[in-house]
Amino acid sequence: MDSLRAQRIADKVEKFVRDVVIPYEKDSRCGDHGPADELVTELRDKARAAGVLTPHILKDGDHLNQQETATVLIKTGLSPLGPIACNTAAPDEGNMYLLGKVANDEQKKRFMDPLVNGSARSAFFMTEPAAEGGAGSDPTMMKTTAIADGDYWVINGRKAFITGAQGATIGIVMANSADGACMFLVDLPDPAIKIERIMDTIDTSMPGGHAVVLLDNLRVHKSQLLGHSGDGFKLAQVRLSPARLSHCMRWLGAATRANEIATAYACKREAFGKLIIDHEGVGFMLADNLIDLEQSRQMIYWCASVLDQGSLGTVESSMAKVAVSEALYRVADRCVQIMGGTGVSRDTVVEMIFREIRAFRIYDGPTEVHKWSLAKKIKRDFLKRQQ
Ligand SMILES: Cc1cc2nc3c(=O)[nH]c(=O)nc-3n(C[C@H](O)[C@H](O)[C@H](O)COP(=O)(O)OP(=O)(O)OC[C@H]3O[C@@H](n4cnc5c(N)ncnc54)[C@H](O)[C@@H]3O)c2cc1C
């Protein structure tokens, strides 16, 4: 399951996150819309010095396989700031993966290299405002348009929930051309990309927060189109499963940490004449946590092994995303409960981890959408067997 090289990297990452990153969790530069960019740079400088920046991409540009990536990313997740410090956070990690697979050499040099060396942040622009009937769970509802104009594309539309758009210098924008969905690489900031507002959301860990963005006659040179016109959804498939799975990896790390804190609380706090872990209600919650954490781990490595065999893993990553996000949410919720009032206070990171994992049940496909697509597959397979 784990390669020796991945374990070595993971050990270094864990030490860095526990010794260096965790003390920053109470830094005043961590705001409602994520850590300030000045803090991101400071953390990344420390990660670079410790040799753990972008640890899943090796010096020769080789990407760890998915099982190895799991071993490393679970450790970066031990603090909500860990992935940001180590440059394994969404959306950059998924964007680097996508560009590594589908960008041409010139696009890689201009748009991927600054991400890999941790000097830039990026954003992925797909979702559109629900109130305007745009793309959400159903990306085929996309209203943003791309119209060819000589050597350029002209893009118009409004996007929502765009993580990190504020402060990012690289964007991947999805829009519909006459051929279908397309992906464009863009430089940020750009006067034609107007950040209308940063949304106030339940989660607070991601730099730049989540933006509503107007694309107002954005002109993009044809060399910045990824793949061909109409390839957008095909390219999105490349990013889909690994990006879903890496969220599972990072949040497994976070839930593991919340469980460590709740365990310590339960083993030290007394009520009604004994330690609360010795009350069956609490002991059973910790036992359930252990089971959910281990099941999540197994699910992640199983799905990673499917991807490592060259499969797109669309079905498996749907299953893993549902199982892991729901299980980790149960874990985080129990941790809050075990810790009583302290659990809902900001005295520990448990409260934040609970909020973050709540949002994870929605992005990269809400649970119900994954189950709906699995049900469609079950029916398809059944009907095929009947033929
Ligand atoms: C924290 C966060 C960060 C995000 N970051 C980004 C980003 O960087 N870039 C980006 O493009 N997007 C991003 N998103 C958007 C995210 O991808 C969407 O929220 C998600 O796809 C759901 O779309 P929606 O919010 O429009 O929900 P809707 O499409 O309105 O769906 C609402 C609910 O309807 C139900 N539902 C929908 N379809 C079905 C179905 N077929 N069967 C059963 N139930 C169904 C589900 O319960 C779903 O939760 C982010 C979202 C969050 C919360």
Side-chain angles (χ1 to χ4, degrees), residues 76-328:
T76 66
L78 285 167
S79 164
L81 283 174
I84 294 149
C86 296
N87 197 22
T88 61
D92 295 340
E93 184 268 332
N95 290 343
M96 283 186 258
Y97 184 87
L98 175 70
L99 296 182
K101 293 281 180 200
V102 306
N104 62 35
D105 286 348
E106 194 191 317
Q107 291 170 337
K108 278 186 188 158
K109 193 158 179 265
R110 181 166 159 203
F111 295 101
M112 189 181 84
D113 291 356
L115 289 178
V116 174
N117 71 33
S119 62
R121 284 203 294 102
S122 63
F124 189 80
F125 296 68
M126 184 165 84
T127 303
E128 296 167 344
E132 294 170 20
S137 301
D138 182 355
T140 65
M141 289 165 67
M142 192 159 62
K143 288 176 177 292
T144 303
T145 55
I147 294 172
D149 178 19
D151 282 348
Y152 287 82
W153 291 89
V154 181
I155 302 176
N156 279 288
R158 185 176 275 111
K159 299 287 185 181
F161 285 104
I162 308 309
T163 303
Q166 176 83 65
T169 51
I170 292 163
I172 302 177
V173 174
M174 287 200 74
N176 273 324
S177 74
D179 306 309
C182 302
M183 273 190 199
F184 297 95
L185 291 161
V186 302
D187 294 303
L188 299 168
D190 184 305
I193 303 178
K194 296 173 180 149
I195 297 191
E196 294 186 323
R197 68 187 172 100
I198 306 297
M199 306 169 86
D200 290 319
T201 54
I202 193 171
D203 64 312
T204 54
S205 76
M206 302 187 191
H210 313 291
V212 176
V213 184
L214 179 69
L215 305 170
D216 185 12
N217 283 317
L218 171 67
R219 291 179 72 78
V220 180
H221 192 264
K222 64 182 183 185
S223 62
Q224 291 167 230
L225 175 69
L226 268 174
H228 300 103
S229 177
D231 276 357
F233 289 138
K234 201 172 86 192
L235 299 178
Q237 292 288 322
V238 173
R239 185 185 191 278
L240 205 69
S241 295
R244 278 176 194 160
L245 200 58
S246 57
H247 278 304
C248 295
M249 297 167 189
R250 290 182 291 259
W251 293 128
L252 172 58
T256 302
R257 170 100 180 288
N259 191 53
E260 286 172 7
I261 296 169
T263 301
Y265 187 93
C267 291
K268 288 183 188 156
R269 174 75 168 151
E270 285 188 17
F272 302 98
K274 55 184 173 183
L275 292 172
I276 61 167
I277 193 171
D278 294 328
H279 291 288
E280 195 176 74
V282 173
F284 277 19
M285 281 198 273
L286 286 165
D288 283 333
N289 277 2
L290 211 58
I291 294 164
D292 274 333
L293 289 169
E294 188 53 35
Q295 283 180 344
S296 298
R297 181 182 304 278
Q298 296 294 336
M299 203 78 184
I300 289 170
Y301 278 103
W302 162 72
C303 183
S305 74
V306 171
L307 297 184
D308 285 339
Q309 285 159 36
S311 163
L312 274 180
T314 315
V315 170
E316 291 83 356
S317 66
S318 268
M319 291 164 65
K321 205 278 178 172
V322 172
V324 174
S325 63
E326 296 293 329
L328 298 184

